[in-house]
Every structure is written in C-alpha cells, then in structure tokens.
Amino acid sequence: QKEVEQDPGPLSVPEGAIVSLNCTYSNSAFQYFMWYRQYSRKGPELLMYTYSSGNKEDGRFTAQVDKSSKYISLFIRDSQPSDSATYLCAMSGAGAGSYQLTFGKGTKLSVIP
Amino acid sequence: GAVVSQHPSRVICKSGTSVKIECRSLDFQATTMFWYRQFPKQSLMLMATSNEGSKATYEQGVEKDKFLINHASLTLSTLTVTSAHPEDSSFYICSASQGIDEQYFGPGTRLTVT
C-alpha cells in the first residue's frame, strides 16, 4: 500500500460546479497536510496548508482533514476554467526537521466553460 | 508571499556534458532546500534534502556523484547533473523551507539531454 493514494483522474466538470478532491494515507505520523496546484510545465503552487484535523477555508477553497479516517479533501466552489490544473496533495510528519513531503500522484482537473 | 526562482527554465545539453541548475529564495532565508524530479504525468519524487552549509542527504537510489548539490548560502542551492544522459531528461523542481514545514516551490527546469 502506498503511503498516499490519490485518484489521478482526469476529472472534468462544468464551470460553476463544486469540485471535490481527495487523498487517503496510511502513515498516522503525518501532521501537516497541504494541497498544491500545478499548471502544465510549472512548479507546484501552495494552495492550502493545514495542521492536524479540521477545516480551513480560503476564498473558494476549503481543505478538510480527518485524521481518524486518514482522509483529506479539497473542495473548490464555483469552479472556473482557470482552476484547470493538476492538484497534488502532500503531507509531512511532526517535529522539527520533518519537512520532507510525501506527495500523492495528483488529480488532473478540467473545468469546462 | 515567499518566492523561489530557478534558472535556467529550460536547458538542452549533449550527452556526457554537465548542467548546473540554480535555485534561489528571493525574499526569505531558506534553512532547507529540496530537489525533486518529475517525469511526465508522475508526481514529484524527492531526490535530496540540503541544509545550508552541510552536505545534502540523498534519497535511496539517487546517485550523489551524479547529482551534485551545493547549498552555499541561505538563499541559494545548486544542482549539477554530471555526465548527463538522455535518461536524465526530466523536469527538475526545487523547493525551499523556512523551517516551519511549509515548502515553496520554484517554477522548475526542464532538462533535455540529446
């Protein structure tokens, strides 16, 4: 079993739809959870950063972490064509020096006008 | 926000030559920098972790003599691909951390070895 599982998609939705992206993980030591957006041939861009369980909202984006289920989600409301990209979940362990990220494979999202 | 730059953005080199890629944190001091490579339609794979002033820690399977990493200052790290071969063609991405678990990524360097 891989440490982080993420459905690669592709996921295609109409403009304005609510998008739900998910990752599951197996390592209970993960404490920090991130979502990155990566446009084609570009480096990843940090979208959301959360610590431990709970929700975090930033504009149209909401990140949820459920540590008991080892499950994280990213919701995108009122999706726009500019949201079309690959979304990578990433996580890291606790404590100083635990900066190494473990990535999911990424989900390719297309928002159709 | 934290900005990380990479240079060059694209490079084509002949087999057997060496290529140096620079990674700079522009508006913050990076205690730790990371180097990743990404093949088409694949996720990022960590190659090595470097802390300023000390030797890099390489991931299993990554040849340290082939991928030379220098983290000379808190704002600059370099990756040199020595004696490059076509199988080294990939997208190389660096990231920098201020030591609070967030990593900021550079735009990436596409290396093509002919």
Side-chain angles (χ1 to χ4, degrees):
Chain A
Q1 181 188 11
K2 293 183 179 177
E3 275 200 297
V4 179
E5 299 274 4
Q6 184 177 9
D7 187 340
L11 178 62
S12 186
V13 302
E15 183 175 356
I18 295 174
V19 177
S20 173
L21 303 167
N22 313 292
C23 287
T24 58
Y25 63 96
S26 57
N27 189 346
S28 59
F30 288 138
Q31 295 284 349
Y32 298 88
F33 304 91
M34 287 137 277
W35 284 95
Y36 287 87
R37 177 174 63 194
Q38 186 177 24
Y39 292 112
S40 182
R41 302 186 181 187
K42 300 291 185 183
E45 170 195 7
L46 181 64
L47 276 180
M48 300 289 284
Y49 176 91
T50 53
Y51 170 70
S52 197
S53 285
N55 295 357
K56 186 174 183 179
E57 188 173 321
D58 184 1
R60 296 185 294 113
F61 299 91
T62 300
Q64 288 186 352
V65 175
D66 182 348
K67 290 194 68 184
S68 63
S69 301
K70 297 189 180 69
Y71 187 88
I72 69 171
S73 301
L74 177 71
F75 297 96
I76 307 174
R77 290 184 299 280
D78 188 25
S79 56
Q80 303 295 310
S82 57
D83 294 329
S84 298
T86 296
Y87 290 80
L88 297 151
C89 66
M91 43 202 82
S92 64
S98 301
Y99 310 136
Q100 292 192 3
L101 295 178
T102 301
F103 283 90
K105 280 197 167 184
T107 300
K108 185 171 184 179
L109 171 68
S110 295
V111 180
I112 311 302
Chain B
V3 179
V4 176
S5 71
Q6 271 184 251
H7 177 80
S9 58
R10 303 187 65 154
V11 58
I12 300 172
C13 71
K14 291 186 177 180
S15 186
T17 61
S18 296
V19 174
K20 180 185 283 188
I21 303 170
E22 290 188 351
C23 176
R24 292 181 186 273
S25 56
L26 298 184
D27 52 1
F28 67 99
Q29 293 186 325
T31 52
T32 307
M33 286 186 167
F34 304 84
W35 286 96
Y36 297 83
R37 63 188 300 181
Q38 186 178 33
F39 292 106
K41 299 184 181 180
Q42 298 289 324
S43 189
L44 287 79
M45 292 182 59
L46 180 65
M47 298 174 67
T49 303
S50 73
N51 294 294
E52 185 265 339
S54 61
K55 289 184 178 180
T57 302
Y58 290 80
E59 293 300 299
Q60 192 172 12
V62 178
E63 299 175 59
K64 61 180 181 181
D65 294 330
K66 182 171 184 60
F67 298 99
L68 301 178
I69 292 172
N70 187 332
H71 193 162
S73 74
L74 285 171
T75 59
L76 173 65
S77 176
T78 60
L79 167 68
T80 301
V81 183
T82 62
S83 186
H85 290 283
E87 58 266 30
D88 298 324
S89 299
S90 188
F91 193 50
Y92 291 87
I93 306 175
C94 72
S95 71
S97 171
Q98 300 175 82
I100 52 175
D101 291 287
E102 289 187 43
Q103 289 185 32
Y104 299 94
F105 285 83
T109 297
R110 181 159 302 280
L111 170 64
T112 303
V113 185
T114 60

